[in-house]
Amino acid sequence: PVKLYYLGPMFRYDRPQAGRFRQFHQFGFEVFGSHDPAVDAEIISLTWDFLGKLGLTGLQVELNSVGCPICRPSFTEALHAFFVPYRESLCSFCQERLERNPLRLLDCKVPKCREVGRGAPKVLDYLCDDCRVHFLKVQRFLEILNIPFKANPSLVRGLDYYTHTAFEVSLGSLGAQNSLAGGGRYNNLVEACGGPPVPGIGVALGLERVLLALEKAGIELPLEAPKLIFVATAGEGLSEQLEREALLLLSQLRRAGYTAEKDFLGRSLKAQMKFAGRLGARYVIIIGEKELCEGNVTLRDMKEGTQLLLQRKVLFNFLEGIGSGEEGKWKATEN
């Protein structure tokens, strides 16, 4: 199977509501190439684990099957027949949906439509053998993974390319717009776009909705700012050779994945150290004429107020050791 993810801005034409914006940001992940119901469980599990690791509690997985092109037509006909007598009781949108796409009637949030929909036919009663077995296997895998879920026969997908599994992960504390993630299987999507038949399943999460949930729960993510390394030069005046070495070291640090900065205003070492402190630099690498001639650098820990002399050629190995948690390495070398 091909596993993909995406992240970016999205746009909707709907009237803005709480937690719903005309422009929002969405990320999601998808699997193409497998019809295995275990993949459905994998997608749901990944969604569940991600939201749980953020610290959110009270999450609920709602699960349903929307059938397939073989069994869905009979369910759609049953829905149409059921709702026709209630046409005048439905909202204006649902009156249009009744003729265009009766499935969407089950997804309406208007109270009077929801009340009528409680007595509507259930899709699970119309599933073909293949869809029924697939749905049972998805549930069994979720039980094995210890992910709580509840069946929601009103959970539908209005587009024809959706098949089998539909699911949402919601959080009750968000109110009406409580869905953090929604997904489902779309085995007919690639074919609908002009390609060959390729099974697929995916999920999408709204970043603004997730951030809103974190804010309401009072959760602050433990994001650690990158440890800035500042390259400082020492000496009366700045030789061209020293400037080249500082610039080279700055480039090497950045290419190695470190956040790095240096002075470009010709300040004194004392002023550079103050500037590094204002930037929040954890470490400062000091290069002077003596260090340059001897192939050394001075590495200063701004937090601890300690420093040591290192050979230039072992600098990156030393920094890597600090990043790996080898705290004793600093003191052992210093001593």
Side-chain angles (χ1 to χ4, degrees):
V2 176
K3 297 184 176 182
L4 309 167
Y5 80 93
Y6 62 89
L7 169 66
M10 306 287 168
F11 304 87
R12 63 162 61 90
Y13 188 69
D14 304 15
R15 177 171 55 88
Q17 304 170 47
R20 290 174 67 89
F21 306 99
R22 291 200 186 279
Q23 178 179 351
F24 60 102
H25 295 80
Q26 181 173 294
F27 74 102
F29 26 93
E30 303 175 304
V31 179
F32 287 96
S34 175
H35 185 70
D36 192 339
V39 177
D40 304 34
E42 181 188 36
I43 287 287
I44 296 172
S45 175
L46 184 57
T47 308
W48 176 266
D49 290 344
F50 171 77
L51 293 172
K53 286 180 179 178
L54 292 179
L56 294 172
T57 58
L59 297 168
Q60 176 68 60
V61 174
E62 298 184 359
L63 192 67
N64 197 23
S65 175
V66 296
C68 68
I70 295 175
C71 58
R72 190 160 50 229
S74 59
F75 175 59
T76 302
E77 291 177 9
L79 280 179
H80 184 269
F82 171 82
F83 278 105
V84 164
Y86 300 98
R87 185 193 301 269
E88 299 305 318
S89 302
L90 302 175
C91 69
S92 57
F93 292 108
C94 283
Q95 289 180 12
E96 295 178 9
R97 292 167 179 159
L98 180 59
E99 303 304 327
R100 290 190 292 107
N101 193 347
L103 273 178
R104 294 301 307 277
L105 292 165
L106 300 175
D107 198 32
C108 184
K109 301 299 188 291
V110 177
K112 60 181 180 180
C113 297
R114 294 178 69 87
E115 184 63 31
V116 172
R118 286 193 176 94
K122 310 300 181 189
V123 63
L124 300 182
D125 295 330
Y126 290 81
L127 296 181
C128 62
D129 290 341
D130 180 60
C131 289
R132 186 176 295 107
V133 170
H134 188 101
F135 189 53
L136 289 173
K137 286 185 176 181
V138 172
Q139 296 177 75
R140 191 177 309 146
F141 288 134
L142 292 179
E143 290 169 353
I144 292 172
L145 297 173
N146 198 30
I147 297 177
F149 65 90
K150 70 173 183 179
N152 180 359
S154 297
L155 181 59
V156 295
R157 296 288 181 260
L159 299 170
D160 289 340
Y161 54 73
Y162 277 99
T163 60
H164 300 295
T165 307
F167 73 93
E168 287 187 359
V169 182
S170 57
L171 188 65
S173 60
L174 288 182
Q177 300 296 338
N178 63 355
S179 177
L180 298 179
R185 180 167 279 281
Y186 30 78
N187 288 348
N188 296 330
L189 174 60
V190 175
E191 194 171 5
C193 293
V198 179
I201 183 171
V203 63
L205 299 91
L207 281 178
E208 285 83 359
R209 192 76 63 81
V210 172
L211 291 172
L212 179 63
L214 292 172
E215 182 181 9
K216 286 198 171 186
I219 297 173
E220 293 187 10
L221 298 181
L223 300 178
E224 184 177 348
K227 293 179 179 178
L228 174 66
I229 299 177
F230 190 88
V231 177
T233 53
E236 294 297 329
L238 184 61
S239 69
E240 184 177 343
Q241 189 177 3
L242 194 59
E243 174 71 0
R244 287 202 304 266
E245 177 63 18
L247 192 61
L248 176 62
L249 181 54
L250 180 70
S251 177
Q252 290 174 338
L253 285 166
R254 289 173 174 171
R255 289 175 180 174
Y258 296 100
T259 301
E261 190 55 87
K262 71 177 289 293
D263 175 56
F264 289 96
L265 297 179
R267 286 177 276 208
S268 67
L269 178 60
K270 183 178 179 180
Q272 289 179 68
M273 297 300 287
K274 287 184 177 179
F275 181 54
R278 289 198 301 270
L279 290 178
R282 174 63 192 272
Y283 303 108
V284 175
I285 300 172
I286 304 172
I287 310 172
E289 296 290 351
K290 183 179 180 181
E291 286 90 350
L292 187 61
C293 293
E294 297 176 353
N296 297 326
V297 296
T298 297
L299 181 63
R300 181 171 180 83
D301 186 331
M302 298 289 281
K303 181 179 179 181
E304 302 296 333
T306 57
Q307 67 183 41
L308 53 90
L309 191 66
L310 289 173
Q311 287 186 307
R312 172 73 165 82
K313 62 184 179 181
V314 303
L315 172 63
F316 282 86
N317 288 337
F318 187 85
L319 291 173
E320 185 178 345
I322 296 174
S324 301
E326 298 179 23
E327 300 299 336
K329 187 172 183 178
W330 180 284
K331 297 195 177 296
T333 309
E334 185 179 22
N335 293 337

